Amino acid sequence: MNTGAKIGRYEIRSKLGEGGMGEVYRALDPAINREVAIKVLPAAFSTDKERLARFEQEAQAAGALNHPNILVIHHIDVHEGAPYIVSELLEGETLRERLGGVALSPRKALDYALQIAQGLAAAHEKGIVHRDLKPENLFITKDARLKILDFGLAKLNSTGDGIQSQTEVPTRRVNTDPGVVMGTIGYMSPEQLRGKPADHRSDIFSFGAILYEMLSGRRAFRGESTADTISSILREDPPDLSGTNPTINPALERVVNHCLEKNPDERFHSARDLAFAVEALSGTAGTTSAQTTILGALPPAKRKKREMLAWSVAALLLLTVLVFSWLYFKRPGAAEPPTSFVVAMPKDATEVSSLDISPDGRSLAFVASVQGKRSLFVRSMASLQAQPLPGTDDAHFPFWSADSRYIGFFSNNKLKKIEAGGGPTQILCDAQSPYGGTWSAEGVILISLDTKGINRVPAAGGTPTPVLPLDESRKELAQAWPYFLPDGRHFLYQSWNGRSDSSALCVAAIDGSDRKLLLTADSSPAYAAGGYLLFARGTTLMGQSFDIRTLKLTGDPFPVIEQIGYNYSNSNSTVSVSANGALAYLANTTRDRELVWFDRSGKRQETVGPAADINDIVLSPDGKRLAMQRLVDTNSDIWLMDLSRGVPSRFTFDAATEDNPVWSPDGSEIVFSSGAGNADVLLNLYKKPATGVGNPEMLLQTDLAKEATDWSRDGGFIIFHVFDQKNASDIWILPLFGDGKPYPFLQTQFEESQAHFSPDGHWIAYTSNETGRTEVYVQTFPQSGGKWLVSSGGGAQPHWRGDGKELFYIAPDRTLIAVDVNAGATFETGAPKPLFGTQVNAYNAPNRYVVAPDGQRFLINSAAGEVNQTPITVVLNWTSALKR
């Protein structure tokens, strides 16, 4: 197929290769802008519908495993009579190419062997057998991860014609027809060659043949002809590995021989056992240990006796470790005194945010920014270092599966999951403006979707479905931070109605029943084993006795830990508890930000004003003053600052939230959002003279929350976005003439926001997540049907240069990007040009930087001072110190 051709919705980019099983192409999935690999199988395979159905079922099952050592299958379909498989695109080479007829080092061979065994174990546990394991079906990525390819193809391929070389002999037919062999000659098990049923132990035999070849550089079974090779597999043992390489550990050779037993009953009983045996050898690969040297000098009878003694000692030590581990993780937490330690952060980490400890207490997941890139890290409690998880860029709010195997997280407006040990990420659903998730043992995930409340999603992925309607009696605007109770049926959550003083923690069942208010608290909730509800009062972690059978609180709240991390903007207390008495929390580090001028090269020039807890910053039209949203304690207000003096002054004084300042074109007035004077509605639009004299005047009041984003230079229009439960976030226009009736500019099922008029007023730059991630777009104003994508790979916070000839935005890695603009009869853009990395506290939040009118300087809301490199504390057996 030629470049540009289409298979289904996929666009062909280039051909990667071909073989007996069809052709492989690099392609683009335009729906999510992701490159994929497409294997197009011969059209003849589609004629046997039953066989094709069996293949689809097994290939989909293997893809659904989402194991780091198994190729991820995205889609299976038929194109012009030919079946095709859409999978993740891998960069690297096959194991066959890596071998090249040369032995690998024992250590490298063991590394690959362990990955193969772990992938097979995951598949076998789901009842999936490969049946055609060979070096051609094992792929090594550029980051040294091994992937097993082509699960299910053995059930599809038919018997080939003619005699082929042993490296090219195709997979044979599935064993549904007695007496017909399948698999590649040279790696087939004896039972396959005899046409007998092939179960998971056939894969173990093939594994042994592959490991033998990795260690020796030659095939375990190879004859002058196909018949000779078959005879060798059925009747002969391969030459001793120690004969080709005397440094090979005898224990490793025994593992290989155990895999290559002719009788399936004499092989390893499972791939999990095999993986355990390989892992146990990984520390001694490639060396001749003292034990091996001594045993080799003994007569055979004594050597065997010593070997048995050595294995017995090893087994005893292993048993001791297992018993100790079981006692450690099962011991009652209250019987031991509390023990705490700090978790060192990754090198060069500049920001640490959300965290979650695994249910079994063995691992900690957290989000950290390193060199401007925010991603997910996992730290095993048995390790001194946290490991980054590739593919988790822009991650936030991680949460563990109940079995501590997977981590759910949010990224680029998607809910995703990844195995804790690493591997490919799997997109589960769209998730716009998420506020936390939780995962039950029954495979149900609950997520908060801002104004759309709590939704449930299958752990395998699917469309979110609402769990609870918003509580009209509380004037509820959002439900956040869901947290499953141990029964997997009930969950805690925060009920938000726009005011911190009336935010509440509630409990409900996933079928919508048993909903009740527990207590008033502006916090995310958690449940601790032993019967405690945990929540925050500012930076103090509080606890209260909670009976999960009756869903009732008893006693009075009591302080647990002082100075925990708490995010005032979203009420999230950065605390997590495990089921075995471990508690992890992010220490309360300073939340202060500082405003710093940078030039286009990223050179720091000067700091303006004192450090404070600042979010939005907006420059006045003359470039001399700044309006900003600033938090003092829990109160959000608008403050003003003369840039030449650097002295801030308070502009709004109401106890409710004030946010999103917008200057009038002449700088005489400021429009902002506020919940003042109306507890039922969050954020109406007010205006007030920029001198600060006088009281705010209501500009626009509706039954939906709204935030102004810009004011056209001719003074005729204010643009704002509306939080709509049905349509997420929409962009509206408020005309300041005529009847002054607001009207929608963009009203879709997607989330559009952060709209800004061009200096001439003919264009509007804004953000939308219509592609599945937030990007920057431009449309004409008034609308004429034209729309242009400006950003590439994600972007937010668009701002125009004063003359309208350049647009700026923040990329997901927090890099400031510049794009040349030619806005004449039509709209034209140049290629995005990275300028420098920033430390904005959220790339997709609005107004975290401002652009000087000439576009040569940028005032960036940056982190103030040094970042605490050990902000996470873990406390073991913390309940033993509680005073009820």
Side-chain angles (χ1 to χ4, degrees):
M1 300 188 69
N2 296 325
T3 300
K6 283 195 171 185
I7 297 180
R9 72 169 187 256
Y10 306 97
E11 300 174 0
I12 299 299
R13 290 290 179 85
S14 62
K15 188 174 182 178
L16 297 176
E18 61 181 309
M21 289 301 294
E23 300 175 337
V24 182
Y25 296 89
R26 179 191 295 265
L28 175 70
D29 183 350
I32 54 177
N33 196 30
R34 172 176 63 187
E35 284 197 319
V36 296
I38 296 183
K39 174 175 281 190
V40 183
L41 306 175
F45 288 164
S46 66
T47 58
D48 188 333
K49 302 300 182 184
E50 182 179 353
R51 180 183 294 163
L52 181 59
R54 289 196 303 269
F55 156 68
E56 291 179 351
Q57 181 180 10
E58 183 155 342
Q60 288 173 339
L65 288 172
N66 196 25
H67 190 275
N69 300 119
I70 296 176
L71 180 75
V72 175
I73 304 295
H74 297 311
H75 183 59
I76 299 173
D77 210 333
V78 176
H79 174 73
E80 297 180 355
Y84 67 89
I85 311 165
V86 182
S87 69
E88 62 177 320
L89 181 66
L90 302 178
E91 301 286 348
E93 61 185 345
T94 65
L95 178 59
R96 172 66 65 205
E97 294 168 327
R98 175 65 60 87
L99 286 172
V102 179
L104 303 178
S105 70
R107 189 171 299 279
K108 180 59 69 176
L110 270 179
D111 177 29
Y112 293 155
L114 180 58
Q115 295 188 62
I116 300 169
Q118 290 173 336
L120 287 177
H124 291 173
E125 287 168 5
K126 297 294 184 180
I128 304 169
V129 182
H130 194 285
R131 300 180 181 84
D132 192 24
L133 205 62
K134 56 186 176 182
E136 289 80 2
N137 283 338
L138 299 171
F139 195 93
I140 302 167
T141 65
K142 289 184 176 180
D143 60 355
R145 186 175 297 281
L146 190 140
K147 295 273 190 176
I148 305 175
L149 315 180
D150 288 351
F151 270 99
L153 285 184
K155 282 197 171 183
L156 185 64
N157 206 2
S158 59
T159 305
D161 297 327
I163 302 298
Q164 297 178 318
S165 68
Q166 305 236 353
T167 59
E168 300 297 328
V169 172
T171 305
R172 298 300 177 91
R173 191 171 178 177
V174 69
N175 62 343
T176 49
D177 294 338
V180 180
V181 299
M182 66 175 188
T184 299
I185 306 298
Y187 302 94
M188 293 172 61
S189 65
E191 58 269 27
Q192 286 177 291
L193 291 172
R194 293 189 172 100
K196 294 182 178 180
D199 60 17
H200 65 279
R201 293 170 298 181
S202 291
D203 284 350
I204 291 175
F205 185 93
S206 302
F207 170 93
I210 293 169
L211 180 53
Y212 182 98
E213 190 169 344
M214 287 194 290
L215 293 168
S216 68
R218 62 185 186 185
R219 303 284 185 87
F221 306 100
R222 184 180 182 93
E224 295 296 327
S225 65
T226 299
D228 291 338
T229 302
I230 293 175
S231 177
S232 177
I233 294 172
L234 293 176
R235 299 176 178 83
E236 300 173 10
D237 292 327
D240 291 341
L241 281 170
S242 56
T244 62
N245 187 349
T247 65
I248 289 178
N249 191 330
L252 176 56
E253 186 170 15
R254 283 194 293 272
V255 168
V256 175
N257 293 338
H258 196 27
C259 292
L260 295 177
E261 293 286 354
K262 309 298 184 185
N263 184 351
D265 293 334
E266 296 178 3
R267 298 174 203 150
F268 283 96
H269 289 275
S270 70
R272 186 66 65 192
D273 292 343
L274 172 59
F276 182 83
V278 173
E279 188 171 19
L281 291 170
S282 60
T284 58
T287 62
T288 303
S289 65
Q291 172 190 325
T292 302
T293 303
I294 293 171
L295 291 176
L298 294 173
K302 291 186 178 181
R303 183 166 68 244
K304 186 171 184 179
K305 185 175 181 179
R306 288 288 183 88
E307 288 177 359
M308 293 178 64
L309 177 61
W311 281 99
S312 299
V313 171
L316 180 60
L317 289 173
L318 176 61
L319 180 61
T320 302
V321 170
L322 291 175
V323 171
F324 175 79
S325 299
W326 184 87
L327 290 173
Y328 175 81
F329 286 103
K330 294 295 183 180
R331 69 191 190 282
E336 298 288 338
T339 302
S340 65
F341 59 91
V342 295
V343 175
M345 290 297 97
K347 183 181 179 181
D348 299 327
T350 57
E351 180 186 9
V352 178
S353 54
S354 45
L355 81 163
D356 198 36
I357 193 169
S358 61
D360 62 11
R362 297 171 184 262
S363 301
L364 182 70
F366 61 90
V367 175
S369 295
V370 177
Q371 297 180 348
K373 180 180 179 181
R374 183 172 65 180
S375 59
L376 194 59
F377 287 76
V378 171
R379 150 94 188 252
S380 168
M381 296 304 178
S383 173
L384 296 178
Q385 291 185 333
Q387 301 299 322
L389 295 183
T392 60
D393 293 355
D394 196 40
H396 51 287
F397 305 143
F399 57 96
W400 289 85
S401 60
D403 61 3
S404 301
R405 180 179 175 185
Y406 290 95
I407 302 172
F409 65 98
F410 301 93
S411 173
N412 295 319
N413 298 312
K414 301 288 185 183
L415 170 65
K416 303 178 181 181
K417 73 175 182 180
I418 187 171
E419 194 156 358
T425 59
Q426 179 181 342
I427 296 175
L428 302 183
C429 67
D430 292 333
Q432 324 300 340
S433 301
Y435 288 91
T438 184
W439 193 330
S440 76
E442 286 71 31
V444 176
I445 294 176
L446 298 182
I447 57 174
S448 166
L449 297 178
D450 197 10
T451 57
K452 294 184 178 181
I454 305 294
N455 281 249
R456 62 183 293 169
V457 183
T463 302
T465 57
V467 174
L468 295 173
L470 295 179
D471 187 348
E472 295 183 359
S473 66
R474 280 186 40 77
K475 305 297 182 182
E476 197 172 63
L477 295 169
Q479 300 160 347
W481 314 117
Y483 192 102
F484 265 119
L485 293 176
D487 64 3
R489 179 173 175 265
H490 292 89
F491 63 95
L492 304 167
Y493 68 97
Q494 181 198 25
S495 171
W496 172 255
N497 64 359
R499 301 187 70 91
S500 299
D501 55 2
S502 60
S503 174
L505 299 186
C506 300
V507 65
I510 57 175
D511 61 4
S513 63
D514 297 338
R515 175 150 72 172
K516 61 188 299 185
L517 188 149
L518 296 175
L519 79 165
T520 299
D522 185 22
S523 169
S524 53
Y527 173 77
Y532 300 102
L533 173 67
L534 299 181
F535 58 96
R537 298 268 191 225
T539 59
T540 299
L541 178 65
M542 305 292 294
Q544 189 167 356
S545 295
F546 180 52
D547 190 331
I548 59 175
R549 295 170 299 175
T550 62
L551 304 179
K552 292 183 179 179
L553 293 168
T554 58
D556 296 323
F558 51 85
V560 178
I561 297 175
E562 302 287 347
Q563 296 301 311
I564 64 165
Y566 177 79
N567 191 324
Y568 286 90
S569 65
N570 60 22
S571 309
N572 184 28
S573 57
T574 50
V575 174
S576 177
V577 289
S578 71
N580 68 336
L583 181 149
Y585 66 94
L586 192 65
N588 180 35
T589 56
T590 176
R591 293 177 288 112
D592 284 354
R593 312 283 297 175
E594 60 182 5
L595 306 180
V596 183
W597 282 108
F598 294 86
D599 65 15
R600 288 180 71 99
S601 69
K603 182 180 179 180
R604 186 184 179 113
Q605 295 184 326
E606 61 180 319
T607 300
V608 179
D613 191 358
I614 302 169
N615 284 325
D616 290 2
I617 56 174
V618 182
L619 196 63
S620 63
D622 61 8
K624 296 181 179 180
R625 291 177 293 169
L626 195 73
M628 55 189 176
Q629 180 215 11
R630 179 176 173 183
L631 276 75
V632 178
D633 294 327
T634 61
N635 194 36
S636 170
D637 280 295
I638 307 299
W639 292 61
L640 302 183
M641 183 165 59
D642 186 316
L643 293 179
S644 63
R645 298 175 59 238
V647 179
S649 61
R650 191 167 175 177
F651 180 71
T652 63
F653 299 86
D654 193 271
T657 295
E658 276 84 32
D659 197 357
N660 308 106
V662 171
W663 293 87
S664 64
D666 61 3
S668 65
E669 292 183 303
I670 294 177
V671 167
F672 57 94
S673 305
S674 175
N678 190 342
D680 293 344
V681 178
L682 173 67
L683 302 181
N684 286 309
L685 299 186
Y686 289 77
K687 67 177 181 179
K688 182 179 177 179
T691 59
V693 178
N695 295 319
E697 175 188 344
M698 177 76 74
L699 180 64
L700 178 64
Q701 180 178 11
T702 66
D703 59 356
L704 293 173
K706 63 204 73 67
E707 295 177 346
T709 59
D710 201 10
W711 197 328
S712 63
R713 284 194 179 182
D714 62 8
F717 303 94
I718 290 177
I719 193 165
F720 63 99
H721 69 263
V722 173
F723 297 104
D724 188 332
Q725 295 180 30
K726 180 179 179 181
N727 295 318
S729 174
D730 300 318
I731 296 176
W732 284 63
I733 302 292
L734 175 64
L736 301 180
F737 55 88
D739 61 5
K741 184 178 180 180
Y743 61 89
F745 176 76
L746 278 176
Q747 192 171 36
T748 73
Q749 72 271 34
F750 305 110
E751 187 171 292
E752 296 95 8
S753 63
Q754 302 181 17
H756 288 271
F757 289 107
S758 62
D760 63 8
H762 297 321
W763 313 88
I764 291 178
Y766 65 97
T767 64
S768 172
N769 61 7
E770 61 187 75
T771 64
R773 64 183 173 193
T774 302
E775 298 277 10
V776 176
Y777 295 84
V778 167
Q779 283 204 33
T780 56
F781 180 75
Q783 282 179 309
S784 63
K787 181 174 74 172
W788 293 265
L789 174 64
V790 176
S791 59
S792 176
Q797 304 189 54
H799 287 290
W800 299 86
R801 196 170 76 187
D803 59 5
K805 294 183 178 180
E806 200 168 22
L807 259 174
F808 304 93
Y809 67 88
I810 299 290
D813 65 357
R814 292 169 172 72
T815 298
L816 181 64
I817 307 293
V819 179
D820 291 329
V821 168
N822 183 8
T826 185
F827 189 82
E828 299 176 354
T829 66
K833 298 175 294 186
L835 297 183
F836 59 90
T838 72
Q839 291 184 5
V840 296
N841 57 353
Y843 99 90
N844 57 354
N847 300 324
R848 294 318 195 245
Y849 72 102
V850 299
V851 182
D854 62 1
Q856 299 303 305
R857 294 207 308 163
F858 306 88
L859 188 63
I860 308 291
N861 185 347
S862 306
E866 296 294 326
V867 177
N868 181 1
Q869 290 298 306
T870 57
I872 296 178
T873 301
V874 177
V875 184
L876 305 178
N877 306 311
W878 63 277
T879 56
S880 65
L882 292 182
K883 295 181 179 180
R884 303 194 183 190

